[in-house]
Amino acid sequence: MNYYELDTPALLIDREIMMENMHFMQNYADRHKVNLRPHTKTHKMPRLARIQDELGAAGITVAKVGEAEAMARGGLKDIFIANEIVGKLKLQRIRKLAETINISFGIDNTYQVDEIEAVFEGAEKKAQVLVEIEVGEQRSGIIEEDDFRALLEHVKACSNVELKGIFSHDGHSYKAEDIEACRRLYLESVDRTLHFGKIAEEMGMKSEVISIGSTPPFMLDFDIPGGVTEIRPGTYIFMDSSQANVIGTYDRCAASVLTTIISKPTHERVITDVGAKGITAQTRSKGHTTTKGLGRIKEFEDVYIDGVFDEHAIIYNTTFHDQVGIGDKVQIIPNHICPVCNLYEKAYLLSDGEVVEEIPVDGRAKLQ
């Protein structure tokens, strides 16, 4: 079947572009002699995670316990949850997963450690934890050195918790004004992460893993300083409009949303059948990832979604209006692909415009 015959809205993936992106990042990691642990929250598809694994990834990253469970059911055996886990129900699920796979997860507070210690009492394997270091994103993670030392002492006193390493995410690099500003933020983040790794080593708790994240620095081929053992990019597999703006081309965008023109009520307004429930209403408004509109029309130059309702995309463009008819189908390159994938039950893998595989999005809606 040609993709144009699909019902809409539909999530499309260009196989050749996706594979090129996968090989690019694996080769980048290999060249820098670090492990690649892709963040699968981007695609949420065990089928694609297995390909990443087969190409040489050291394991995968997820954001939630539910995603870890979906990936484990899909055959993935080494999973890191790059998030703090709070709540005995979630920790019991992790303990269950640890019986059959290698699983680790994040902490940044002694409260979490106490819960983990209690839940893993009597388990065959100790809980494997990594401490998150806040490096400027202003999200979760350790900020003060004294808090880090206190947390490590707390872990050291535990019988059921084992420190595997530290991790960080330089998400604020998305807001860098240009490539050099991105490089500066990235290097500052890595230096800070390595600094905390040194503190842990001085305390007799040398990190097996020092893991860093975020796609832009790696797509820009920045060097990886010595001491880093692992990188966790996610968006690179598909790219999107914001990431395309970083590297200056849409040619690496593998994913799009197919949508049908359903109305042309004025001489410039065009309506399609996908809205916020299919492409989200996300934008990036600052720095080199800044996007125009709510998504770019792939087949047309400089045509963007101007607004969305739940089930409608609104475009104001007279030239576009005159070139398309009701019933025509176009592709939207989303501003941020990660939440978009979470909205679809399946994706269609394309090669030369033909559907070659339907891939279930098994990790969709796994928010717990």
Side-chain angles (χ1 to χ4, degrees):
M1 176 190 295
N2 186 275
Y3 79 91
Y4 203 78
E5 300 173 63
L6 293 170
D7 201 1
T8 59
L11 178 62
L12 309 181
I13 304 168
D14 185 297
R15 183 175 66 181
E16 281 66 40
I17 296 175
M18 178 190 74
M19 292 304 299
E20 182 182 349
N21 290 341
M22 283 189 186
H23 282 290
F24 171 89
M25 194 59 71
Q26 187 63 59
N27 291 338
Y28 172 82
D30 292 345
R31 193 169 71 250
H32 288 278
K33 296 181 173 56
V34 297
N35 289 329
L36 173 63
R37 183 178 291 273
H39 206 316
T40 61
K41 73 178 179 65
T42 295
H43 56 75
K44 291 180 170 260
M45 303 176 209
R47 170 78 174 92
L48 300 187
R50 289 196 302 271
I51 297 175
Q52 291 173 307
D53 192 55
E54 291 162 5
L55 290 178
I60 63 166
T61 306
V62 298
K64 296 295 181 75
V65 179
E67 291 176 353
E69 291 167 334
M71 289 294 169
R73 286 193 296 270
L76 283 303
K77 299 295 186 182
D78 195 315
I79 301 174
F80 169 49
I81 307 173
N83 209 340
E84 285 69 35
I85 305 299
V86 175
K88 291 183 178 180
L89 291 177
K90 290 184 175 67
L91 291 169
Q92 287 165 357
R93 290 157 61 194
I94 291 176
R95 175 174 168 165
K96 181 68 175 176
L97 283 169
E99 294 174 2
T100 55
I101 68 169
N102 294 322
I103 187 161
S104 54
F105 55 100
I107 62 171
D108 71 356
N109 191 277
T110 57
Y111 177 95
Q112 300 146 7
V113 176
D114 289 338
E115 279 198 331
I116 298 164
E117 177 75 357
V119 170
F120 273 75
E121 180 65 34
E124 290 187 9
K125 295 189 293 186
K126 292 183 178 183
Q128 302 294 303
V129 300
L130 286 82
V131 178
E132 182 175 16
I133 308 302
E134 210 281 283
V135 292
E137 188 177 29
Q138 298 184 356
R139 201 168 66 177
S140 51
I142 286 284
I143 297 173
E144 301 297 335
E145 293 182 13
D146 287 347
D147 292 336
F148 181 64
R149 291 186 176 92
L151 180 59
L152 293 194
E153 291 291 355
H154 209 71
V155 171
K156 190 183 295 187
C158 289
S159 302
N160 305 316
V161 186
E162 184 171 87
L163 181 71
K164 187 173 183 180
I166 61 176
F167 74 106
S168 64
H169 180 247
D170 56 312
H172 56 306
S173 68
Y174 282 64
K175 298 179 180 179
E177 290 302 317
D178 53 33
I179 290 176
E180 286 310 309
C182 181
R183 190 192 310 273
R184 176 178 56 77
L185 291 175
Y186 160 73
L187 290 175
E188 288 174 354
S189 299
V190 177
D191 286 347
R192 178 171 166 80
T193 306
L194 291 171
H195 173 67
F196 277 85
K198 185 66 174 176
I199 292 173
E201 185 175 358
E202 291 169 352
M203 293 178 63
M205 302 180 74
K206 183 176 173 61
S207 298
E208 173 190 339
V209 175
I210 295 183
S211 180
I212 62 174
S214 165
T215 288
F218 308 139
M219 292 302 299
L220 292 169
D221 201 28
F222 291 170
D223 286 336
I224 300 177
V228 172
T229 69
E230 178 181 280
I231 60 173
R232 305 186 323 278
T235 313
Y236 78 93
I237 186 174
F238 292 157
M239 301 294 279
D240 52 28
S241 286
S242 64
Q243 299 287 346
N245 291 334
V246 172
I247 63 174
T249 178
Y250 284 86
D251 292 345
R252 303 287 288 276
C253 293
S256 62
V257 172
L258 185 68
T259 184
T260 301
I261 308 297
I262 60 171
S263 180
K264 297 169 61 179
T266 75
H267 72 281
E268 64 172 352
R269 188 192 309 159
V270 178
I271 313 297
T272 87
D273 69 347
V274 66
K277 292 181 180 179
I279 60 170
T280 79
Q282 285 204 350
T283 61
R284 294 200 188 275
S285 59
K286 186 176 181 180
H288 60 167
T289 59
T290 299
T291 54
K292 294 174 65 174
L294 298 177
R296 180 182 185 269
I297 304 301
K298 184 175 181 178
E299 300 89 344
F300 292 82
E301 197 69 33
D302 208 35
V303 178
Y304 300 87
I305 305 298
D306 290 289
V308 291
F309 292 85
D310 283 351
E311 308 293 353
H312 300 76
I314 317 298
I315 302 167
Y316 288 96
N317 188 299
T318 303
T319 301
F320 177 69
H321 174 282
D322 294 343
Q323 291 178 323
V324 297
I326 293 176
D328 286 352
K329 296 174 182 177
V330 295
Q331 298 176 63
I332 300 170
I333 300 175
N335 287 338
H336 185 190
I337 191 59
C338 302
V340 171
C341 289
N342 189 55
L343 300 173
Y344 290 84
E345 294 180 326
K346 61 184 175 182
Y348 296 93
L349 192 65
L350 310 182
S351 181
D352 294 326
E354 297 295 316
V355 178
V356 295
E357 188 176 350
E358 292 184 15
I359 303 176
V361 188
D362 291 328
R364 72 181 296 268
K366 304 298 185 185
L367 304 179
Q368 294 181 333

